[in-house]
């Protein structure tokens, strides 16, 4: 085992995938010589040459569109959109093209691309470095959407995403790159190098897509969440003393309904938590499925806690971010319901 | 069977990386005053050459030369010098304030001050800039209150944008400064639309659009060129080529084209290249393009050739991807030094006076900063209320936002 930050784990996944399969190519804005603004592709150009890892013009449409063409040819492009907030120019290519090549060509053309993008807030990034657009992908038939919450998973999920025959949107919670941020912005974050989930197997392994993890076992209440909010949920459970079970979905589509439903049927109470805006968020999908599957087990309606339905503000970041206090309050409310 | 050799991917590489000796010998620099000034109504086809040269007015001795000289009086040039000095001193103070935790982030203009400061002086009230984050000189030269700029940077209670926006993403309708987007290039086509609106309404206002070299790769840039061309829009399309887009050298965005200016040719847009470190040249070219737009002769593309002497932002360390000494090797010099030399040469400025001006401006900037900091800084707690976060999402707050606001306690 080697201690890695999430950045190092992601870099390592690229490295192993490129070493194993010469069809893996990596590109995006600043990813070549510099190794990415978050350094997730550091050293790859130096190691594999500039025709397998290179800088792209600032055109997200171009990056994803070119990636789709390469994927259709038979390569395995792993492309970076510098921030998820900048994926909108690529959205047509993702929705109308990547997601549908297989379907519309009867399986003749396929698109095994991975589109990586840092997601989420908590870094004083304002409205264009903080968004969580996962629901814009989960709403699209033909895409898989993955969001890791720690270095171990990030590496294994990225390797599984690269191996996957279909397009995968890989969202990296940037607030977790260096440590398991739990929403207590006024306290230092424990670095991954001292955290058990920062212990990463240096070899090749996959964490299967579509498998959730129970990251905290509990009896009284289930928190269904993913990404940064996994750590916020754990903190809120400890601080409220409520015996909550915390489920880290890891993959939103395909969704591990088995793990989710088993937990909610056991606890009878469910809080769905994400950082993205509330309305039409992925939490709405979760709540709908949970109430349909667990109706007779539920002691209270499923409760959603999410970002407010506003653009992500700068100065009011911590009033916006669903931190452990807000989550804890809602857990108490759910216990009383 | 084929005897065709295998294909290979060609990826452009910069001339030098850390450890190498900076080399700008590839940039052809004509002597000041040697590039002709066409009539504003000259056809685009007849001035294609202007996209492959560099219009320069000030020579190495600081004297103004050629057809493009004379767009400003010496008093106006001295004012331009003060604008640029103000911007640089402001940037220095804000960079330090960021390091002190008074704000989260900052972006400076080091080396590029002439472009936005000079351009603004060619516009009229009512015209609208659609800037990027690196044109604060437009605000300074238009007399926007510096204290308000600082309040925005500090996200304090007097920030007109209520702390919602990242620092430096100013907005001022009154000062012809369109609200800055963090999403690159989106403003480029909007400027064209704004100028088309002026034409539709029969007004005389024009628009000026701004983009960096790297961002010209975005589709918005190309959409802007085609709309501007199709509708002969009264817009000035500025490309600030400061050689770098974070760690990516300009060749990645430019590709096989010789210059960014020449991008305009495929659209039949008159396209000029100007020395962006020459305040006099930038002003003269801006004035020419603004006149074209105002006289309904259509769009002009201007490539401002300059160098980003500082980091991309406070989050960036350029020594990781370019030689440390590259900035000193930049052949077009420093915009402030060059104007200073010009004014001294004309006998209307002295070293003494320059020092005095520097001290005066520094005092004024510090005064502003004191007042702004007394209102608050990001780390002082005197930031806009969470209540403000829910305002302006819609003209009228819908019920679900009212409920959410209540939940936050307002
Ligand atoms: C749509 C979009 N993609 C990527 C980014 C991230 N980004 C911010 S600035 C920048 C470089 C821009 O370079 P350039 O256009 O040359 O402008 P400069 O910073 O040099 O003034 C990048 C890639 C962004 N803000 N928006
Ligand atoms: Mg640039």
């Amino acid at each position: 085992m080697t201690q890695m930050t999430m950045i190092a784990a992601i870099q390592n996944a690229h490295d192993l995938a490129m070493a194993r399969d010469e069809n893996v190519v990596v590109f995006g804005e600043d990813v070549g010589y510099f190794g990415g603004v978050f350094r997730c592709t550091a050293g790859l150009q130096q190691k594999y040459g500039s025709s397998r890892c290179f800088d792209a013009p600032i055109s997200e449409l171009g990056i994803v569109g070119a990636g789709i063409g390469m994927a259709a040819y038979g390569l395995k492009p792993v492309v970076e959109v510098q921030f998820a907030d900048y994926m909108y120019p690529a959205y047509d290519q993702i929705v109308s093209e990547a997601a549908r090549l297989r379907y519309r060509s009867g399986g003749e053309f396929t698109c095994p691309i991975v589109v990586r993008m840092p997601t989420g807030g908590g870094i004083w990034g304002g409205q264009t470095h903080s968004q969580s657009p996962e629901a814009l992908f989960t709403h699209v038939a033909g895409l898989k959407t993955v969001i890791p919450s720690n270095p171990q998973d990030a590496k294994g999920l990225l390797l599984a995403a690269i191996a996957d025959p279909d397009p995968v949107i890989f969202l990296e919670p940037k607030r977790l790159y260096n440590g398991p941020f739990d929403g207590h912005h006024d306290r230092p974050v424990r670095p991954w190098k001292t955290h058990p989930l920062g212990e990463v197997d240096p070899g090749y392994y996959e964490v299967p897509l579509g498998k959730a993890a129970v990251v905290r076992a509990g009896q009284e209440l289930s928190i269904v969440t993913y990404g940064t909010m996994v750590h916020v949920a754990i903190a809120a459970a400890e601080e409220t003393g409520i015996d909550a079970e915390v489920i880290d979905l890891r993959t939103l589509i395909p969704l591990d309904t088995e793990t989710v439903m088993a937990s909610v049927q056991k606890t009878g109470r469910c809080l769905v938590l994400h950082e993205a805006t509330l309305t039409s968020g992925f939490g709405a999908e979760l709540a709908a499925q949970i109430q349909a599957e667990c109706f007779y087990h539920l002691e209270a309606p499923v409760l959603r806690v999410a970002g407010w339905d506003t653009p992500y503000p700068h100065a009011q970041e911590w009033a916006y971010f669903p931190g452990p206090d807000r989550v804890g309050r809602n857990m108490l409310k759910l216990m009383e319901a | 069977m084929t005897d065709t050799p295998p294909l290979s991917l060609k990826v452009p590489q910069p001339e030098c990386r850390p450890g190498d000796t900076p080399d700008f010998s590839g940039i052809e620099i004509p002597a000041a005053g040697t590039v002709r000034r066409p009539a504003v109504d000259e056809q685009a086809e007849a001035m294609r050459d202007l996209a492959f040269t560099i219009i320069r007015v000030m020579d190495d001795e600081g004297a103004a030369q050629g057809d493009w000289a004379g767009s400003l009086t010496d008093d106006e040039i001295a004012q331009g010098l003060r604008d640029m000095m103000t911007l640089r001193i402001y940037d220095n103070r804000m960079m330090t304030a960021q390091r002190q935790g008074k704000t989260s982030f900052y972006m400076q203009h080091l080396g590029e001050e002439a472009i936005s400061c000079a351009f603004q002086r060619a516009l009229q009230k009512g015209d609208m800039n659609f800037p990027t984050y690196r044109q604060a000189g437009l605000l300074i030269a238009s007399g926007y209150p510096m204290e308000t700029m600082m309040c925005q940077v500090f996200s304090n209670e007097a920030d007109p944008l209520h702390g919602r926006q990242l620092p430096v993403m100013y907005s001022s309708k009154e000062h012809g400064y369109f609200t800055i987007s963090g999403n690159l290039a989106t403003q480029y086509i909007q400027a064209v639309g704004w100028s088309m609106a002026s034409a539709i309404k029969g007004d005389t206002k024009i628009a000026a659009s701004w983009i960096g070299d790297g961002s010209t790769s975005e589709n918005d840039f190309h959409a802007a060129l085609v709309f501007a061309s199709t509708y002969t829009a009264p817009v000035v399309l500025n490309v600030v080529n400061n050689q770098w887009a974070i760690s990516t050298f300009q060749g990645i965005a430019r590709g096989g084209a010789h210059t960014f200016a020449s991008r305009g040719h495929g659209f039949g847009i008159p396209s000029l290249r100007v020395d962006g470190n020459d305040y006099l040249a930038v002003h003269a070219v801006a004035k020419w393009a603004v006149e074209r737009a105002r006289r309904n002769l259509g769009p002009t593309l201007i490539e401002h050739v300059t160098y980003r002497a500082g980091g991309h932002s406070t989050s960036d360390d350029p020594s990781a991807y370019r030689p440390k000494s590259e900035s000193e090797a930049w052949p077009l010099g420093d915009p402030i030094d060059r104007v200073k030399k010009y004014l001294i040469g004309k006998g209307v400025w002295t070293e003494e006076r320059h020092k005095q001006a520097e001290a005066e401006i520094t005092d004024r900037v510090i005064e502003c900063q004191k007042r702004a900091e007394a209102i608050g800084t990001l780390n002082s707690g005197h930031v806009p209320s969470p209540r403000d976060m829910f305002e302006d999402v819609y003209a009228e707050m819908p019920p679900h936002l009212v409920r959410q606001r209540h939940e936050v306690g307002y």
Side-chain angles (χ1 to χ4, degrees), chain A residues 18 24-27 31-33 35 41 43-46 48-55, chain B residues 11:
Chain A
M18 291 178 90
V24 176
V25 294
V26 174
F27 60 101
V31 312
Y33 181 86
T41 58
L44 299 176
Q45 180 176 80
Q46 289 74 2
Y48 298 101
S50 60
S51 56
R52 290 189 62 202
C53 177
F54 48 89
D55 288 332
Chain B
V11 180

Side-chain angles (χ1 to χ4, degrees), chain B residues 49-349:
Chain B
D49 55 317
L50 296 182
F52 300 103
T53 182
I54 301 179
I55 297 166
R56 306 177 69 226
V57 170
M58 284 184 286
D59 66 17
D60 292 346
E61 281 66 53
Q65 305 286 359
D67 294 351
W68 293 92
S71 70
L72 292 162
T73 65
D74 286 346
D75 276 352
E76 288 168 331
I77 295 168
Q79 184 53 52
L81 177 61
R82 278 194 206 92
D83 289 344
M84 292 194 285
M85 291 166 76
T86 305
L87 179 54
R88 187 167 295 181
I89 291 165
Y90 170 72
D91 274 348
N92 279 333
R93 303 286 312 178
M94 294 299 99
M95 293 290 287
T96 306
Q98 190 276 339
R99 280 194 291 275
Q100 294 167 336
K102 293 171 183 169
T103 185
S104 56
F105 175 82
Y106 192 75
M107 299 176 96
Q108 62 170 337
H109 304 72
L110 191 63
E112 302 178 38
E113 291 90 347
I115 300 164
S116 54
C117 288
F119 193 92
Q120 181 61 31
R121 298 280 172 184
L123 293 175
Q124 286 177 9
K125 195 147 183 70
D127 295 341
M128 186 63 77
N129 284 293
F130 287 72
T132 80
Y133 43 72
R134 228 185 286 284
Q135 278 94 42
L138 299 170
L139 282 177
I140 287 183
S142 78
Y144 188 78
M146 177 172 289
E147 189 182 325
T148 313
M149 290 172 76
M150 289 175 172
C151 290
Q152 197 282 328
V153 169
F154 295 144
S155 279
N156 67 21
E157 285 157 354
D159 167 12
L161 312 181
H162 309 282
R164 295 178 196 137
Q165 271 278 54
L166 209 60
V168 315
M169 306 275 174
Y170 317 103
S171 173
S172 173
K173 196 170 189 176
E174 196 198 330
H175 286 78
Y177 195 91
F178 192 73
T179 158
I180 303 282
S181 172
N183 295 61
L184 294 172
T186 50
Q187 72 284 357
Y188 219 63
I189 176 67
Q190 295 162 359
V192 176
W194 200 95
S195 75
M196 286 167 65
S198 178
I200 291 167
K201 298 289 284 179
D203 292 337
T204 57
K205 298 173 200 167
I206 64 140
S209 203
W210 295 89
I211 202 166
D213 46 60
S215 308
T216 59
S217 303
E218 292 283 7
N219 10 340
D220 313 61
F221 173 76
H222 302 271
L225 264 54
V226 71
F227 272 66
S229 166
T230 297
Y231 300 108
T232 322
V235 63
V236 182
L237 302 161
N238 293 287
V239 175
V240 180
N241 176 7
N242 63 6
Q243 312 303 319
W244 290 96
I246 311 184
S247 76
T248 304
F249 89 114
Q250 44 81 27
I252 292 284
R254 184 172 47 77
H258 195 60
T259 66
F260 287 94
S262 67
R263 289 266 190 255
H265 288 166
F267 299 88
I269 296 175
S271 303
L272 287 68
R273 228 161 151 244
V274 62
D275 177 346
N277 291 20
D278 180 337
Y279 185 94
L280 276 59
V282 171
H283 182 268
V285 169
K287 194 176 162 201
W288 185 90
V290 166
E291 187 185 336
R292 271 181 50 80
R294 190 102 54 209
R295 286 176 49 188
N296 216 19
L297 296 166
T300 307
L301 181 67
I302 304 173
E303 175 184 347
H304 302 262
V305 181
T306 184
Y307 184 82
R308 195 197 78 209
H312 170 73
S313 71
T314 46
S315 314
D316 179 45
D317 172 13
S319 69
Y321 52 80
R322 66 183 194 188
K324 276 205 172 97
S325 55
E326 199 183 72
S327 166
E328 285 137 51
W330 176 245
L332 295 176
D334 178 79
I336 293 181
D337 291 350
R338 287 176 67 187
V339 171
K340 180 181 153 195
K341 200 165 178 183
Y342 166 87
L343 289 170
I344 290 174
K346 292 283 282 204
V348 296
W349 199 253

Side-chain angles (χ1 to χ4, degrees), chain A residues 28-37 39 45 50-62 70 82 85-89 123-129 131 278-279 307-317 319-320 326 329-330 333, chain B residues 9 11 13 17-18 103-105 152-155 162-167 169 181-184 214-220 245-249 252-253 316-317 320-322 378 383-390 393-394 400-401 404-405 407-408:
Chain A
E29 294 156 22
D30 302 295
V31 312
Y33 181 86
F34 184 51
V37 293
R39 316 318 308 280
Q45 180 176 80
S50 60
S51 56
R52 290 189 62 202
C53 177
F54 48 89
D55 288 332
I58 303 175
S59 168
E60 292 73 16
L61 172 156
M70 291 178 198
Q82 199 163 83
D85 315 61
Y86 305 142
M87 72 83 187
Y88 304 107
I123 62 152
W124 295 111
Q127 55 192 276
T128 57
H129 301 89
Q131 296 163 48
L278 178 77
T279 301
W308 308 121
D309 286 322
T310 73
Y312 207 111
H314 176 248
Q316 302 90 341
E317 173 141 52
Y320 179 89
R326 193 147 104 215
R329 263 199 321 277
N330 281 282
K333 195 164 117 189
Chain B
L9 187 71
V11 180
Q13 302 294 338
R17 287 294 192 183
T103 185
S104 56
F105 175 82
Q152 197 282 328
V153 169
F154 295 144
S155 279
H162 309 282
R164 295 178 196 137
Q165 271 278 54
L166 209 60
M169 306 275 174
S181 172
N183 295 61
L184 294 172
S215 308
T216 59
S217 303
E218 292 283 7
N219 10 340
D220 313 61
I246 311 184
S247 76
T248 304
F249 89 114
I252 292 284
D316 179 45
D317 172 13
Y321 52 80
R322 66 183 194 188
L378 187 61
V383 294
S385 156
R387 186 190 177 90
D388 284 341
M389 164 170 83
F390 295 97
V393 182
Y394 301 94
H400 71 286
L401 277 186
Q404 292 181 15
R405 196 187 71 197
E407 221 180 305
V408 183

